[in-house]
Amino acid sequence: MTMTETAVRPTLDAVAALYRTPVLNLIVNAAEVHRAHHDPSKVQVCVLLSIKTGGCPEDCGYCPQAARYDTEVKSQGLLDVDHVLKAARQAKDDGATRFCMGAAWREVKDNTQFDRVLDMIRGVKALDLEACCTLGMVTADQARRMKEAGLDAYNHNLDSSEAFYDRIISTRTYQDRLDTLAHVRNAGITVCCGGIVGMGETEDDRIALLHTLANLPEPPESVPINALVAVEGTPLADQPKVAIWEMIRTIATARILMPRSMVRLSAGRIAMSDSEQALCFLAGANSIFAGDKLLTTPNPEFDRDAQLFATLGLSPLAASEVSNLHT
Ligand code: SAM
Ligand code: DTB
Ligand code: SF4
C-alpha cells in the first residue's frame, strides 16, 4: 500500500477543527489511529550528529548556528568520514536504527565536501543503519547523487506556516523549501519534514503548517515536531515556553492526518517531564532523538531515556522492523 492510499487530504477548516478538538478527545482519537497503523509500544531511536557546525549564512531566528548571532556555538568545519562512522557505530551500539547527519549549510555545493558527505552516507549504510541527512537546499542532481549513495531520508523542515515564515527567516523563501522537498521526493528519497512549536506563532500558523504537510504531493514519511530550544544570542532567546498542550495538539493532529508516517518528538525533550513526554507518545509520537546532544543543544542522556522507556513499557524499534516501515 502506498502512502497516498491512506493519507487524508484535508481542507484547512478540517485541520483547524481537528486541532481544536477538546484535547483529551484529540489524544484518544490520535491514539486510536496510532494503534491501527503502528505498534504503540515501539519507539524508533535516532541519533543526530552535527557534521559541520556553525558559521551558517542564513538568518533562521531560532538557530544558534547562524553566523550573524552571537551564541556559544563553536564553529567546526566538515568532520572527516572516520569520525562520523565512529559516531554512527556508537549510535548503533546504543540501540539507534537511524543516523542523521546535519550541516550548517544554506545549500549543498558541488565540491569535495559534498563528495565526502556521499562517502559518509555509504559508510552509514554499510553499518545497516537508516541514513538521513539535513544539509540545506539541494538540487535535483544532488538529490539523485545522494540516492545513489544509499540515502534513505532527507530532512528539510517547513518550520511554520507560510504566513509566519518570513517573520523567522528572510534569507530564503517558503518556495525554496518546497522546491528542495520536490527534488528529494523525485529522487526517490523519503522525506522528513516538520516544524517548530513555540516561536511565537499562533494556533492558526500551526494549523496551516499541518495543512501544508498533509497536502504535499506525497505526505512526508517522517514528521519531526520540535519544541523551540530558546538559545541565548538568537532573536528567539526570550520566547516564553509554549504550553505542552500545543505540542500535544500538533503531534496528535499530525498523527491523524498522516497515519502511516513516523511522527518524531524532536527538539525540546530536555525541558519536558516524563509525563509530558508520555502524553506525546500517547498522542502518536513514535520516535525520538537520543543521546546527550541534538546538533548543538542538550538532549536527555541515554540512561534517562532507557529509564523512561522502562517506566512506560516502551521499547526501541528494532532494525528488522525499520526495513518494513515504508513498504
Ligand atoms: N541547515 C540545514 C537546514 O536548515 O535545513 C540543516 C540543519 S537545521 C539545524 C535543521 C532543523 O533544526 C531546522 O529546520 C529547525 O527546524 C531545527 N532547529 C534548529 N534550531 C532549533 C531550535 N533552537 N529549536 C528547535 N528546532 C531547531
Ligand atoms: C529536526 O527537525 N530536528 C533536529 C533534526 N531535524 C535535524 C534538529 C534539532 C536541532 C535543535 C537545535 C540544536 O541542537 O542545534
Ligand atoms: Fe543555517 Fe539550518 Fe541554522 Fe538556518 S537552521 S541558520 S539554515 S543551520
Side-chain angles (χ1 to χ4, degrees), residues 56-60 62-66 103-106 136 172 177:
C56 183
E58 299 283 84
D59 69 351
C60 310
Y62 47 75
C63 186
Q65 302 198 66
W105 283 330
R106 173 172 202 271
R172 53 162 198 262
R177 292 304 259 192

Side-chain angles (χ1 to χ4, degrees), residues 48 62-65 73 100 102 134 155 157 159 192 194-195 224-226 229 231 266-268 289 293-298:
L48 267 172
Y62 47 75
C63 186
Q65 302 198 66
V73 167
C100 180
T134 180
N155 167 249
N157 291 336
D159 285 340
C192 173
I225 305 295
N226 297 277
V229 180
V231 181
S266 303
F289 287 112
K293 202 148 101 180
L294 290 164
L295 290 172
T296 66
T297 64

Side-chain angles (χ1 to χ4, degrees), residues 124-141:
V124 170
K125 284 315 293 172
L127 292 170
D128 240 349
L129 284 162
E130 278 195 315
C132 176
C133 277
T134 180
L135 315 168
M137 294 186 271
V138 295
T139 63
D141 188 57

Side-chain angles (χ1 to χ4, degrees), residues 81 84-85 88-89 92 97-101 118-132 152:
V81 177
V84 173
L85 295 186
R89 239 171 263 123
K92 187 172 173 163
T97 52
R98 186 170 173 111
F99 189 70
C100 180
M101 296 166 274
L118 296 174
D119 283 340
M120 293 173 193
I121 294 170
R122 283 186 273 267
V124 170
K125 284 315 293 172
L127 292 170
D128 240 349
L129 284 162
E130 278 195 315
C132 176
D152 294 292

Side-chain angles (χ1 to χ4, degrees), residues 174-244:
Y174 214 65
Q175 189 57 47
D176 290 331
R177 292 304 259 192
L178 292 168
D179 290 348
T180 286
L181 292 172
H183 296 153
V184 169
R185 172 62 75 206
N186 294 338
I189 298 169
T190 69
V191 169
C192 173
C193 182
I196 307 179
V197 170
M199 299 187 290
E201 76 286 345
T202 63
E203 203 172 81
D204 283 342
D205 291 312
R206 292 188 282 276
I207 289 165
L209 168 67
L210 290 160
H211 175 253
T212 304
L213 292 172
N215 282 288
L216 287 172
E218 290 265 354
E221 286 81 358
S222 162
V223 183
I225 305 295
N226 297 277
L228 175 75
V229 180
V231 181
E232 217 170 291
T234 63
L236 296 184
D238 297 326
Q239 200 56 49
K241 201 177 159 224
V242 81
I244 189 68

